[in-house]
Amino acid sequence: MSKTSGLLFAGAVALLLAGCGTPASIDRVAGMTTDDDPFLQHLHAGYVDLARKEAAYYDWVDAATFRDRAEMVAQGGAVEPWDPTGWNIDSAETMDLLVSERANLMAELEAGDRAERPEAAARAQTSFDCWIEEAEEGPFHPGPIASHQEAEIASCRDVFYAAMEELLYVEPEPVPEPEPQTEFVVYFAWHSPDLSEIAMGFLGGVVAEAVRQQPSAIVISGHADTSGSILFNMDLSRERVDAVAAYMTQAGIDPSILALEWHGEALPAVETGDGVRNPGNRRVEVSFE
């Protein structure tokens, strides 16, 4: 081989290697720094990982493709997800799906996920480009690649969908704690100060709530309907108050915090005429303060 021929051959080899994704060239790009944008940092690292994966399969051309995208990111170039229509993808169904998913991805990226969820956004973009690259290689093309291509396509696709789930996730609005109940009403039978089983069960819940809330005072206010005389109803409302206070005291409530008052028929919950039996007015109101 002449000296001139040798130089030409060496130059051709150097040119060929420069266009291939050799491990050394990938390491060079991996060592490049990006700006302080977390999305670009993750994007750069993602493309470097893809370049190394392709180099491990001795796919130097695709390794160089991903290496070059990583280098573009490091140099501040605009790198968006690939448009699948520019790729030779045999399956029309796969092409339609990729076009649709790219639109979904772009919508999320442009909605602000590059800044809000930089790692997931970068992972979504690099795995989408991985999906496109693997889809072009098979599994419809004959040869050794086709034997594992389905798994490679599925791997990139699954990573993409997982990343998209993160981008699409919306944090639910916190449900405010309900305000604690501080007012309760116990009802009585006509002309009776006795607590029914239902009333005693209800008061058990009131006592439990008082223990939880620890009010400084508990006001117990008695009432009656208008079906008896004013004097009778006043006494009846007092007896009802006494019954509720006795129950709460026996259940463990400190009697010193109980404030007892009774109003007879003077403060009806339901306005009626005189002499009317009304169950809504036969009551004791319990209030925490």
Side-chain angles (χ1 to χ4, degrees), residues 135-157:
E136 185 185 59
E137 288 185 352
F140 307 101
H141 299 165
I145 291 178
S147 62
H148 63 258
Q149 206 56 28
E150 284 280 14
E152 292 298 323
I153 292 172
S155 175
C156 298
R157 183 185 62 230

Side-chain angles (χ1 to χ4, degrees), residues 122-142:
R123 183 158 31 92
Q125 176 166 332
T126 54
S127 59
F128 180 78
D129 285 353
C130 174
W131 183 7
I132 288 179
E133 182 270 329
E134 297 293 353
E136 185 185 59
E137 288 185 352
F140 307 101
H141 299 165

Side-chain angles (χ1 to χ4, degrees), residues 38-288:
F39 170 73
L40 294 180
Q41 292 171 353
H42 288 296
L43 196 64
H44 173 261
Y47 281 131
V48 167
D49 287 345
L50 289 175
R52 284 177 170 154
K53 185 193 79 168
E54 294 301 321
Y57 284 123
Y58 305 104
D59 186 346
W60 307 116
V61 174
D62 285 329
T65 300
F66 286 122
R67 176 206 63 198
D68 292 347
R69 284 178 78 72
E71 187 167 10
M72 289 171 59
V73 172
Q75 292 175 344
V79 178
E80 291 191 345
W82 277 324
D83 180 352
T85 60
W87 289 69
N88 182 26
I89 296 172
D90 295 327
S91 168
E93 181 180 358
T94 299
M95 176 64 80
D96 290 343
L97 179 59
L98 287 166
V99 169
S100 174
E101 292 300 346
R102 184 181 190 275
N104 294 334
L105 172 58
M106 290 303 299
E108 289 304 309
L109 295 178
E110 292 170 359
D113 277 335
R114 290 183 179 97
E116 294 176 7
R117 297 179 173 94
E119 191 278 332
R123 183 158 31 92
Q125 176 166 332
T126 54
S127 59
F128 180 78
D129 285 353
C130 174
W131 183 7
I132 288 179
E133 182 270 329
E134 297 293 353
E136 185 185 59
E137 288 185 352
F140 307 101
H141 299 165
I145 291 178
S147 62
H148 63 258
Q149 206 56 28
E150 284 280 14
E152 292 298 323
I153 292 172
S155 175
C156 298
R157 183 185 62 230
D158 291 347
V159 172
F160 169 75
Y161 280 131
M164 285 296 290
E165 282 190 19
E166 293 183 43
L167 298 184
L168 292 167
Y169 177 75
V170 177
E171 191 74 31
E173 291 290 331
V175 178
E177 287 289 330
E179 290 292 327
Q181 185 176 353
T182 59
E183 296 183 353
F184 311 85
V185 181
V186 184
Y187 294 99
F188 291 79
W190 178 67
H191 277 191
S192 174
D194 298 330
L195 293 170
S196 67
E197 289 189 9
I198 292 176
M200 286 189 285
F202 177 77
L203 278 173
V206 175
V207 170
E209 193 65 18
V211 171
R212 188 180 72 84
Q213 295 187 35
Q214 293 293 307
S216 59
I218 299 176
V219 178
I220 302 176
S221 176
H223 304 271
D225 62 25
T226 63
S227 62
S229 69
I230 292 177
L231 182 59
F232 174 84
N233 286 334
M234 186 63 72
D235 289 340
L236 180 59
S237 65
R238 177 182 55 78
E239 292 172 357
R240 288 169 174 169
V241 167
D242 290 342
V244 171
Y247 180 95
M248 297 185 71
T249 301
Q250 291 170 8
I253 299 299
D254 183 357
S256 68
I257 69 169
L258 301 181
L260 312 183
E261 57 185 47
W262 48 91
H263 304 280
E265 62 182 66
L267 299 175
V270 181
E271 292 290 342
T272 68
D274 190 28
V276 176
R277 299 184 184 185
N278 188 289
N281 289 331
R282 301 193 294 263
R283 71 199 191 281
V284 165
E285 297 173 350
V286 180
S287 301
F288 296 168

